[in-house]
């Protein structure tokens, strides 16, 4: 097994593209190392991206925030500006694993690991995040919900590396939230996750919204019908009921050691309602 | 049985000195299993069955043997077919050592997912693992039998054509192709039910759980040039490991020395051999020391679990709240080989109430899961869950206070037990009154979807053989060596008892755990017995030391030994009270008066003080997700005499947390083919620190006359009532009656939906 520490994104992409065997990007390693130890993967090449300067920082730009692919979840939690603008996204990253894990793990890694239960992903989808992808030949920008194609699989082509995740500029009166259900308080994997992001008009009516669910289908889901259920409302009871119904209808979960189909489906609606309420309060500035 | 006169005032017992092993443990210097290394050591890895039930048609080890870096490969063919396999285990009846051997390495069939079939020793663990995976095993698959009811059904697939009925605490008799049975009875049950005004009958199921010790199984073995075997391992009983190794390897017990390292948790699961004989034979074949370390997945797949159960119980009560009759049927998983905890499970099901008419039957049921091992009050948590939730139901039906109901029916000293003898000194009434008088019981619960639950629990504990050596140093300090591995602070609790008896300070005593070549035989650190039983051995050795020292004082003063008064660490000449030695002074004169003094005592005490407890819990239920939040928890327990109250509190808290895990989340999750699907601590969900509140321990002390300082065992009973207490609180909170463990959010939500639909 080879181990490389390129200093640019392009260099990383070229290394991976020219590797005839199995190549993996190493960021925090909190998923990859576990998979290697369990012999689920046996890489021929590890490309460590932690030495690439374009991936190392969180930047506040005119267009929003840019979070480098090698930025740890803990660093996100320490960025007060990011936390204030996107509390739901930061909370989702700070739910992954434990404090020790958060010191290593990255949201880009969480995304590329492509678990249906990834905590950061529903919050990023709800936020309308975009992914900056660097290939050996060209760069492209992809909506975050288009990355994961199934459990453990992504739409990234060989040689493509995520350089950063961007969050759009936030209009006033906006709020987001992410909630997950785990049987344990921490050190657990989401049985259901729900992320909601919304913006209000001057009369506190929801002007736009995005709702995403995790762990209830082979991929994290963007649920437009759930967003439609609350747009144009002040999140009254009827709207919340419709939101829950739309979420439950979108679920296509499995029965496994972590939860049953019935449970995941029912709780998806519950968590979406709670996340919507929390996002709404945040948007109102409360 | 001795009835000791317990001193009213104790000087050392009941205080909280710092444990001598604590500093090294918290700073990482203590040597646990994986900290042990030998020069030239090889590393062993096990190939395990991917199938739950299969016949081994052939094993081809040739690719592993020729793999570079491999030094030895073993299969069951390298182990003796045991000639005298049935051994008498005293009270426990008989044990088939061939089963013990076959559980370590499968002989003709594999009986569970993870059953060892071969092992490899190589230069490092990676090579060993890679080579083990080159071993080709041809299996003929058989239907797996995964729960007690299907194992007991007609036409069930049979695991063993012949088996010795399982024995743990009480013997059983073969009753079905996959099960053996025991029965206990007292009074006339049908007459008792005729007397009853209300009869309820309920069914329960509980899932397989693991002890969850944080340190996995780890062993290093060296086959010496002279045929002497040395084993360094992390275990609850060095003598048990030695004896089992000798029996399965057909070696003299005296040829094996087992050296116990520190132990990172056991809870009953580290009382017997798994990889130990594999390491020994790999060492023999390679001529090098061999270390083997189980992974967490191996530990969950192939060791430890405690039984899943099916229980059906019937209780009859009179309108005034008097329990008059009870029937209890408990089918407990034995795992792949017979001998699970059914006897203690069913025989403690009702023991804490004085019920005149009782009929109990228990089944020890073979299933395709790892051979179950004791787990803290083995078998008692499921049976307590069943009976205590039924008692709660009766209390509500009769509109009786749950404490008053239990007080009315409480087992008292001298009441006849279903096992046929009268109950020794027991403090149940005091425990229940302490609940009533506690601020927790009297507090307002407050808030919606909140509830309070009470459960009452009982456990026997045991005496069994223990040894202790004491040696007096010339500076007046004392070496204490026992055969009991220290899992819970027993070095200090034994040193404290020695200090109390000798009249010196605990920090003048250096306590250690001896290996099998250096200390007398001791049964494992199990059954809440070490501070009690090894404590008695220490006490007896101390009496011997005092007598020998008195003789020396008499020699120095040229008087009869009868004229020496021993008082609080001083030796006084009764005929001339001006003449007096302190313990230290006299210790300095031993060499000149006939040489050093040492004493050994081997005790097998019978005056076991039963353990009785009540747990009170407040919780809140999220009715939309089924999540339970435990708000307040108080555990009341009779310690007899708490030698070191901090460690008694630790035992109560630790056992309760394990019980909470059992209640809410922990379970083995098998797929339809019998593969264990949650082989990590991520998915085998033990509670974390954030899942439990502070557990308040209320320690009561009703002395056990069977111990010189009144000590009872305390370690096991705390795991008995949590599941029932939580289930009763759930009913109080949201009106659902749970009859299955674990009470997961999904099950709670399902039940909530079923009552609101």
């Amino acid at each position: 097994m080879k181990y490389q520490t390129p200093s640019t994104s392009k260099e990383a992409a070229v290394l991976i593209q020219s590797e005839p065997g199995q190549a993996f990007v190493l960021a925090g390693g909190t998923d990859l190392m576990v998979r290697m130890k369990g012999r689920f993967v046996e890489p021929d090449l590890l490309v460590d991206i932690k030495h690439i300067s374009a991936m190392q920082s969180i930047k506040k730009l005119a267009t929003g925030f840019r979070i480098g692919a090698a930025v740890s979840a803990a660093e996100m939690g320490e960025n007060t500006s990011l936390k204030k603008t996107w509390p739901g996204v930061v909370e989702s990253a700070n739910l992954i694993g434990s404090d020790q894990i958060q010191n290593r793990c990255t949201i880009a890694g969480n995304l590329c690991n492509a678990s249906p239960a990834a905590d950061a992903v529903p919050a990023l989808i709800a936020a309308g995040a975009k992914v900056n992808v660097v290939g050996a030949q060209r760069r492209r920008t992809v909506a975050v919900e288009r990355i994961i194609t199934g459990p453990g699989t992504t739409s990234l082509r060989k040689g493509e590396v995520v350089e950063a995740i961007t969050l759009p500029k936030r209009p006033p009166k906006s709020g987001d939230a992410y909630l997950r259900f785990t049987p344990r308080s921490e050190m657990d994997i989401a049985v259901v996750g729900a992320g909601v992001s919304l913006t209000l008009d001057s009369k506190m009516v929801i002007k736009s919204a995005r709702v995403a669910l995790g762990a209830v289908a082979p991929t994290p889901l963007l649920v437009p019908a759930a967003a439609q259920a609350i747009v144009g409302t002040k999140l009254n009871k009827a709207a919340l009921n419709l939101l829950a119904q739309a979420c439950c209808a979108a679920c296509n979960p499995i029965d496994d050691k972590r939860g049953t189909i019935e449970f995941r489906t029912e709780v998806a609606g519950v968590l979406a309602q709670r996340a919507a309420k929390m996002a709404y309060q945040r948007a109102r500035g409360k | 049985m001795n009835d000791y006169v317990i001193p009213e005032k104790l000087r050392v017992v009941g205080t909280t000195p710092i444990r001598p092993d604590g500093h090294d443990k918290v700073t990482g210097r203590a040597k646990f299993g994986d900290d042990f290394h030998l020069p030239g050591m090889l590393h062993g890895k096990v190939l395990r069955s991917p199938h739950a039930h299969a016949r081994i048609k052939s094993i081809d080890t040739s690719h592993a043997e020729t793999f570079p870096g491999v030094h030895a490969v073993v299969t069951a063919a390298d182990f003796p077919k045991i000639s005298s396999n049935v051994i008498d285990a005293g009270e426990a009846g008989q044990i088939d050592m061939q089963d013990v051997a076959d559980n370590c390495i499968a002989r003709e069939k594999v009986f569970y997912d993870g059953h060892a079939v071969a092992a490899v020793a190589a230069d490092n663990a990676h090579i060993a693992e890679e080579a083990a995976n080159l071993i080709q095993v041809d299996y003929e698959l058989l239907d797996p039998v995964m729960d007690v009811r299907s194992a007991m059904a007609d036409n069930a697939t049979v695991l063993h054509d012949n088996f010795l009925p399982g024995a743990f605490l009480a013997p059983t008799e073969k009753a079905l192709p996959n099960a053996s049975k025991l029965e206990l009875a007292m009074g006339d049950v049908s007459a008792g039910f005729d007397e009853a005004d209300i009869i309820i009958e309920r069914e329960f199921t509980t899932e397989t759980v693991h002890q969850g010790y944080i340190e996995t199984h780890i062993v290093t073995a060296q086959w010496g040039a002279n045929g002497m075997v040395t084993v360094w391992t992390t275990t609850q009983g060095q003598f048990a490991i030695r004896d089992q190794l000798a029996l399965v390897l057909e070696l003299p017990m005296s040829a094996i020395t087992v050296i116990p390292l520190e132990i990172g948790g056991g809870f009953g699961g580290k009382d017997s051999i798994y990889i130990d004989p594999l390491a020994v034979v790999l060492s023999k074949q390679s001529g090098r020391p061999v270390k083997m370390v189980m992974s967490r997945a191996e530990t969950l797949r192939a060791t430890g679990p405690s039984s899943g159960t099916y229980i059906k119980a019937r209780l009859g009560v009179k309108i005034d709240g008097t329990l008059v009759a009870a029937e209890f049927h408990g089918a407990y998983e034995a795992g792949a080989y017979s001998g699970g905890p059914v006897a203690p499970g069913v025989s403690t099901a009702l023991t804490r109430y004085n019920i005149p008419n009782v009929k109990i039957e228990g089944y020890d049921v073979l299933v395709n899961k790892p051979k179950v091992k004791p787990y803290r009050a083995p078998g008692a948590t499921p049976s307590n869950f069943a009976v205590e939730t039924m008692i709660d139901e009766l209390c509500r039906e009769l509109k009786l206070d749950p404490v008053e109901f239990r007080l009315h029916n409480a087992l008292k000293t001298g009441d006849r037990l279903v096992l046929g003898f009268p109950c020794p000194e027991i403090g149940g009434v005091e425990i229940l009154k302490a609940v009533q008088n506690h601020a927790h019981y009297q507090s307002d619960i407050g808030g919606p979807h909140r509830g309070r639950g009470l459960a009452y629990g009982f456990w026997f504990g045991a005496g069994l053989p223990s040894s202790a050596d004491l040696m007096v140093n010339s500076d007046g300090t004392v070496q204490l060596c026992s055969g009991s591995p220290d899992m819970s602070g027993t070095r200090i609790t034994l040193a404290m008892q020695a200090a109390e008896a000798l009249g010196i300070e605990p920090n003048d005593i250096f306590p250690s755990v001896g290996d099998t070549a250096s200390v007398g035989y001791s049964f494992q650190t199990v059954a809440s017995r070490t501070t009690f039983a090894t404590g008695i051995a220490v006490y007896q050795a101390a009496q011997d030391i005092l007598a020998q020292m008195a003789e020396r004082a008499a020699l120095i003063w040229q008087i009869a030994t009868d004229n020496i008064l021993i008082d609080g660490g001083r030796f006084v000449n009764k005929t001339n009270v001006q003449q007096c030695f302190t313990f230290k002074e006299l210790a300095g004169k031993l060499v000149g008066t006939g040489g050093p003094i040492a004493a050994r005592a081997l005790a097998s005490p019978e005056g076991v003080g039963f353990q009785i407890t009540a747990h009170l819990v407040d919780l809140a239920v999220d009715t939309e997700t089924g999540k339970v939040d435990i708000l307040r928890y108080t555990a009341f327990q009779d310690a007899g005499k708490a030698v070191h109250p901090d460690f008694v509190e630790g035992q109560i808290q630790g056992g309760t947390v394990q019980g909470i895990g059992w209640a809410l989340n922990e379970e083995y999750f098998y797929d339809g083919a019998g593969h264990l699907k949650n082989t990590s601590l991520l998915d085998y969900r033990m509670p974390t620190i954030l899942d439990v509140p502070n557990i308040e321990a209320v320690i009561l002390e009703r002395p056990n006359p069977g111990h010189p300082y009144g000590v009872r065992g305390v370690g096991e009973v705390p795991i008995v009532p949590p599941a029932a207490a939580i289930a009763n609180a759930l009913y109080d909170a949201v009106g659902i009656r749970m009859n299955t463990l674990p009470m997961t959010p999904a099950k709670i939500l399902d039940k909530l939906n079923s009552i609101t639909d």
Side-chain angles (χ1 to χ4, degrees):
Chain A
M1 188 181 77
K2 296 179 290 276
Y3 170 80
Q4 299 281 359
T5 54
S7 52
T8 68
S9 306
K10 178 91 185 272
E11 207 185 313
V14 171
L15 279 167
I16 291 172
Q17 194 174 41
S18 48
E19 168 59 43
Q22 293 251 323
F24 286 85
V25 171
L26 172 67
T30 55
D31 285 310
L32 182 59
M33 291 299 155
V34 176
R35 288 166 70 199
M36 285 168 65
K37 211 171 169 188
R39 302 214 166 208
F40 300 107
V41 294
E42 293 192 24
D44 300 292
L45 170 66
L46 288 186
V47 177
D48 188 337
I49 57 167
K50 290 192 288 295
H51 302 264
I52 298 170
S53 57
M55 298 197 186
Q56 286 170 345
S57 60
I58 301 172
K59 287 206 173 87
K60 193 176 180 182
L61 310 168
T63 51
F65 282 91
R66 180 185 184 283
I67 303 165
V71 169
S72 72
E75 285 172 77
M76 290 173 63
E78 284 162 9
N79 188 311
T80 44
S81 170
L82 179 68
K83 212 169 161 178
K84 193 164 172 242
T85 316
W86 292 103
V89 170
V90 175
E91 277 163 5
S92 74
N94 290 168
L95 278 171
I96 300 170
S98 59
D99 286 355
Q100 293 91 331
I101 296 290
Q102 287 155 28
N103 283 333
R104 302 290 300 173
C105 74
T106 64
I107 54 167
N110 194 232
L111 174 66
C112 295
N113 186 54
S115 161
D119 279 311
V121 180
L124 288 170
I125 293 176
K130 300 272 193 294
V131 183
N132 294 349
V133 178
V134 177
Q137 274 80 45
R138 63 183 192 97
R139 294 174 166 264
R140 59 188 181 114
T141 300
V142 194
V144 73
E145 60 269 25
R146 300 184 64 90
I147 296 288
I148 302 177
T149 53
T153 61
T154 69
S155 58
L156 296 173
R157 294 183 279 268
K158 183 158 184 179
E160 282 192 324
V161 176
V162 173
E163 185 182 66
I165 292 175
T166 59
L167 294 167
K169 189 170 163 52
R170 208 65 169 133
K173 288 198 170 46
S174 294
D176 74 331
Y178 172 76
L179 292 172
R180 67 169 187 185
F181 184 85
T182 56
R184 265 198 305 226
S185 299
E186 67 160 33
M187 309 288 286
D188 211 338
I189 289 186
V191 175
V192 181
V196 176
S197 175
L198 47 78
T199 300
L200 310 182
D201 67 16
S202 55
K203 291 178 180 148
M204 304 301 163
V205 172
I206 298 172
K207 194 162 68 178
S208 65
R210 282 168 70 91
V211 177
L213 297 173
V216 293
T219 66
L221 297 176
L222 176 66
V223 190
Q228 280 160 26
I230 56 171
V231 168
T233 77
K234 287 184 170 180
L235 214 59
N236 55 18
K237 204 158 181 238
L240 285 167
N241 283 342
L242 289 172
L243 166 72
Q245 277 173 29
C247 287
C248 298
C251 290
N252 175 26
I254 54 166
D255 256 332
D256 74 356
K257 61 202 170 194
R258 293 177 187 144
T260 61
I261 291 170
E262 295 75 21
F263 181 79
R264 288 177 198 266
T265 306
E266 184 171 347
V267 174
V270 172
L271 290 195
Q273 289 178 332
R274 291 180 182 179
K277 285 188 214 168
M278 195 183 272
Y280 188 81
Q281 291 301 325
R282 284 173 173 166
R284 291 185 53 172
K286 287 191 177 168
Chain B
M1 191 194 292
N2 272 322
D3 259 12
Y4 291 94
V5 180
I6 299 162
E8 279 193 18
K9 281 198 74 169
L10 294 167
R11 192 176 48 86
V12 180
V13 167
T15 64
T16 55
I18 291 172
R19 60 198 286 180
D21 51 312
H23 195 263
D24 278 355
K25 281 178 176 163
V26 298
T27 54
R29 280 187 287 240
K31 290 259 180 284
F32 288 83
D34 204 20
D35 299 314
F36 187 77
H37 308 276
L38 285 174
M41 185 173 85
L42 300 176
H43 296 264
K45 282 283 173 191
V46 177
L47 177 71
R48 297 184 179 277
S49 168
H51 307 298
H53 195 192
R55 197 175 301 284
I56 299 172
K57 289 163 76 180
S58 66
I59 304 179
D60 178 359
T61 58
S62 56
H63 297 289
E65 281 163 20
T66 55
F67 194 75
V70 170
H71 295 262
V73 180
V74 296
T75 67
D78 298 290
F79 291 79
K81 181 90 184 160
I82 302 168
S83 47
S84 55
N85 57 315
V86 178
I87 61 157
D88 192 350
E91 277 179 18
Q94 294 179 317
I95 293 174
D96 187 339
M97 289 310 295
Q98 191 65 57
D99 283 353
V100 176
D102 293 353
N103 191 42
C104 294
I105 191 156
R107 191 162 281 270
E108 283 147 14
K109 282 169 74 176
V110 290
F111 288 102
Y112 51 93
D113 170 28
H115 199 161
V117 289
V120 176
D123 289 333
N124 64 49
H126 303 291
I127 296 173
E129 192 178 342
E130 209 161 334
N133 288 327
L134 297 174
I135 297 170
Q136 285 164 354
V137 186
D138 190 9
Y139 294 103
E140 175 195 337
L141 298 194
L142 303 167
D143 290 335
V145 181
M146 298 309 294
D147 71 276
V148 290
R149 279 178 287 180
S150 42
M152 292 170 76
D154 293 341
N155 306 320
T157 302
V158 175
L159 272 75
H160 299 273
D161 293 335
N162 293 298
F163 67 88
L164 190 70
F168 176 51
L169 184 74
T172 60
E173 284 180 13
K174 186 165 177 176
L176 291 166
N178 287 325
S180 55
K181 181 181 182 183
L182 83 146
E183 286 179 317
L184 298 165
M186 191 163 69
D188 181 338
V189 197
S190 62
F193 280 113
D194 286 347
E195 246 186 280
D197 297 312
I198 300 174
I199 297 171
I200 58 169
E201 183 176 297
R202 299 287 178 265
E203 289 179 88
F204 302 86
T205 57
T206 69
E207 296 302 322
T208 315
V209 296
H210 196 274
Q211 292 83 346
Y213 29 84
I214 289 304
E215 182 189 35
T216 64
H217 295 262
I218 300 169
V219 63
T220 306
Q222 183 164 38
W223 187 286
N226 53 0
M228 301 292 278
V229 177
T230 311
V231 174
W232 295 262
T233 187
T234 167
T235 177
Q236 294 178 237
Q238 62 275 49
F239 287 94
I241 298 297
R242 182 198 65 167
D243 293 1
Q244 291 168 24
L245 277 173
L247 290 161
V248 304
L249 297 173
E250 301 208 306
L251 293 169
M253 288 175 186
S254 58
I256 303 172
T257 302
V258 177
I259 300 171
L261 302 166
E262 295 296 349
I263 177 167
F267 312 108
K270 283 189 192 150
D271 74 336
S272 48
I273 54 173
Y274 289 104
I275 45 180
D276 314 64
L278 312 186
V280 171
V281 176
L282 286 169
S283 175
K284 183 185 183 186
Q285 294 202 355
S286 63
R288 303 259 295 267
V290 174
K291 180 175 184 176
M292 299 182 81
V293 179
M294 272 200 200
S295 67
R296 176 64 55 191
E298 287 181 287
T299 301
L300 287 166
R301 284 172 78 201
T303 75
S306 188
S307 312
T309 66
Y310 165 75
I311 289 168
K312 188 158 136 185
R314 200 162 167 239
L315 294 180
V317 64
K318 292 173 74 157
I319 202 84
D320 68 352
T322 308
L323 286 163
V324 287
E327 267 181 338
F328 188 91
H329 162 99
Y332 280 63
E333 290 172 355
Y337 300 95
S338 65
V342 63
V346 302
S347 62
T348 56
L350 302 158
T351 305
R352 67 198 165 277
Y353 299 113
N354 188 29
I355 311 175
N357 307 295
V358 171
K359 184 168 176 252
I360 289 172
E361 59 178 26
Y363 286 87
D364 185 53
V365 188
L366 294 159
V367 293
N368 290 111
K369 295 183 182 179
K371 161 83 173 82
V372 304
K373 293 287 172 185
Y375 177 18
R376 206 168 199 153
T381 301
S383 62
N384 183 275
F385 167 63
V387 171
E388 288 297 298
T389 55
M390 289 174 72
I391 296 280
D392 194 66
E393 201 179 328
L394 287 174
C395 289
R396 287 180 184 268
E397 176 98 25
L398 292 165
K399 299 192 165 43
L400 292 172
D401 176 84
V403 178
E404 288 296 341
F405 181 95
R406 287 171 173 90
L407 274 169
H408 181 61
N409 291 287
L411 179 76
K412 298 187 184 70
T413 308
D415 287 344
R416 188 167 175 266
L417 300 171
V418 71
L419 292 175
F421 54 89
C423 183
E425 281 285 322
I426 191 160
V429 169
E430 288 90 331
I431 289 286
L432 291 166
K433 290 199 164 147
V435 175
Q436 270 181 330
N437 294 328
H438 195 274
H440 183 176
Y441 194 69
Q442 293 165 357
S443 68
D444 188 13
I445 185 134
H449 306 139
R450 289 183 170 199
R452 176 170 295 161
L454 173 75
Y456 189 37
F458 171 90
W459 181 249
F460 295 113
L464 303 166
S466 271
S467 82
D469 288 8
L470 291 175
M471 188 182 71
V472 181
N473 301 318
S474 59
D475 64 354
T477 61
V478 172
Q479 306 296 124
L480 160 61
C481 184
S482 83
S484 300
D486 182 355
M487 302 206 297
S488 52
T490 52
R491 281 184 181 89
I492 189 71
T493 61
L494 296 175
M496 288 169 74
Q497 293 179 72
E500 186 76 54
L502 294 173
I504 60 177
E505 295 305 315
N507 58 11
D508 282 331
I509 299 183
F510 179 80
S512 64
V513 180
D515 63 58
T516 58
S518 64
V519 67
Y521 180 87
S522 295
F523 202 79
Q524 296 105 314
T525 293
V526 293
S528 310
R529 61 177 290 278
T530 299
T531 296
F532 165 69
T534 312
I536 289 178
V538 167
Y539 176 83
Q540 291 175 356
Q543 301 309 314
D544 187 350
I545 293 285
L546 290 175
Q548 292 187 58
M549 289 185 63
E551 280 176 27
R552 299 300 176 87
L555 191 68
I556 293 165
W557 293 323
Q558 295 292 306
I559 56 170
T561 311
D562 290 353
N563 284 329
I564 303 290
L565 172 73
I566 305 172
D567 177 31
R570 295 179 330 134
F571 298 82
V572 182
N573 181 351
K574 283 195 227 169
T575 62
N576 174 7
V577 292
Q578 300 307 313
Q579 284 190 316
C580 164
F581 287 126
T582 63
F583 188 92
K584 266 191 170 52
E585 285 165 352
L586 189 52
K589 298 183 187 305
L590 297 178
V591 174
T593 56
I597 284 175
R600 166 169 292 181
L602 289 124
S604 201
E606 292 185 344
V608 177
F610 290 169
Q611 299 171 41
I612 192 99
T613 188
H615 285 200
L616 191 63
V617 61
D618 294 355
L619 52 77
V621 183
D622 182 335
T623 54
E624 289 183 319
T625 65
K627 178 111 179 217
V628 170
D629 192 10
I630 297 173
L631 305 170
R632 185 171 183 181
Y633 204 110
T634 311
F636 304 78
Q637 189 172 329
D638 181 7
K641 177 71 198 173
V643 176
H644 193 303
D646 286 355
F647 295 157
V648 173
E649 193 180 16
Q651 288 296 307
I652 292 172
Q653 291 168 334
T656 301
V657 171
Q658 287 185 313
I660 290 171
W662 198 325
L664 294 177
N665 276 318
E666 291 182 38
E667 62 179 312
Y668 268 33
F669 196 95
Y670 283 97
D671 69 11
H675 302 125
L676 185 61
K677 300 309 284 181
N678 53 340
T679 61
S680 73
L681 294 187
L682 177 61
D683 287 316
Y684 181 82
R685 290 193 182 90
M686 298 194 289
T688 70
I689 190 71
L690 297 177
D691 296 305
V692 288
N694 180 45
I695 289 154
E696 186 186 345
V698 178
I699 301 169
L700 281 87
E701 295 182 324
R702 178 168 174 145
N704 167 24
H707 183 280
Y709 305 125
V711 170
R712 289 168 196 277
V714 295
E716 290 173 292
V717 81
I719 203 175
V720 177
I726 289 168
N728 292 342
L730 267 169
Y731 182 82
D732 191 44
V734 291
I736 55 170
R737 206 40 100 178
M738 300 302 290
N739 62 351
T740 173
L741 295 182
M743 298 176 282
T744 60
K747 286 184 195 164
I748 289 170
L749 197 57
D750 193 45
K751 202 86 166 190
L752 283 168
N753 288 338
S754 75
I755 59 165
T756 51
D757 281 352

